[in-house]
Amino acid sequence: METLTEHRQVSGPVVYGFLRLVRVPAARQSALTASLAEYCRRHELQLSGVFTDRGTAVGSAAFTGLLDVLVLPDVYGVVAPALSHLGPKAIAAERGRRIEAAGSRLLLIRRPTPTHPSVSRSVPVRRRRGTTRVRDAES
């Protein structure tokens, strides 16, 4: 019988990290890089490098470098702490499209919050008993 994946050395899919760090202390950068490494370890991904962007342009040097490595064979995707690390909303959307166009996946450690935070998607909606709305046939 063959042992499970967790019990033998297996190289996982290759991913690259991306951090957008504007006016961030070195300790914060180290912590974010460590969180990317831990996420990859838990999900059996091979973190091959981390690109650090210190600007906000769509075509920054760090992001262009990331796109260059995404076309290499056996690259699975990009890992980021949150969508905000791709930039402001408009830039993040464009960068997300470019990552997908390169044939890679964008893996976020922290997913975006729902548009209505008061309503949880995992909790079923409760209806009040005894309140039934009857619609007219005309409406």
Side-chain angles (χ1 to χ4, degrees):
M1 216 176 193
E2 194 173 42
T3 58
L4 296 173
T5 307
E6 292 84 8
H7 298 250
R8 60 186 161 127
Q9 294 294 328
V10 175
S11 62
V14 174
V15 294
Y16 287 88
F18 190 79
L19 298 172
R20 181 176 156 260
L21 305 172
V22 180
R23 296 182 303 242
V24 173
R28 175 80 173 144
Q29 180 176 351
S30 296
L32 288 168
T33 303
S35 71
L36 292 179
E38 177 61 19
Y39 177 86
C40 290
R41 186 191 67 74
R42 284 186 185 172
H43 292 80
E44 298 183 1
L45 301 170
Q46 180 183 344
L47 183 62
S48 293
V50 177
F51 289 85
T52 305
D53 188 8
R54 302 215 182 263
T56 56
V58 174
S60 69
F63 189 72
T64 302
L66 176 68
L67 291 177
D68 288 344
V69 298
L70 292 181
V71 298
L72 295 173
D74 299 329
V75 174
Y76 182 68
V78 178
V79 178
L83 192 58
S84 62
H85 277 269
L86 292 181
K89 286 185 181 183
I91 292 174
E94 177 59 26
R95 285 180 170 179
R97 281 190 289 275
R98 288 185 182 185
I99 290 169
E100 288 178 8
S104 295
R105 296 199 53 191
L106 176 60
L107 306 167
L108 301 175
I109 294 175
R110 203 175 52 213
R111 296 184 184 179
T113 57
T115 55
H116 300 289
S118 62
V119 178
S120 174
R121 293 181 188 189
S122 61
V123 178
V125 177
R126 287 188 170 180
R127 306 238 185 247
R128 292 185 186 177
R129 292 186 179 183
T131 57
T132 306
R133 180 185 284 187
V134 178
R135 291 188 158 188
D136 295 334
E138 298 176 358
S139 57

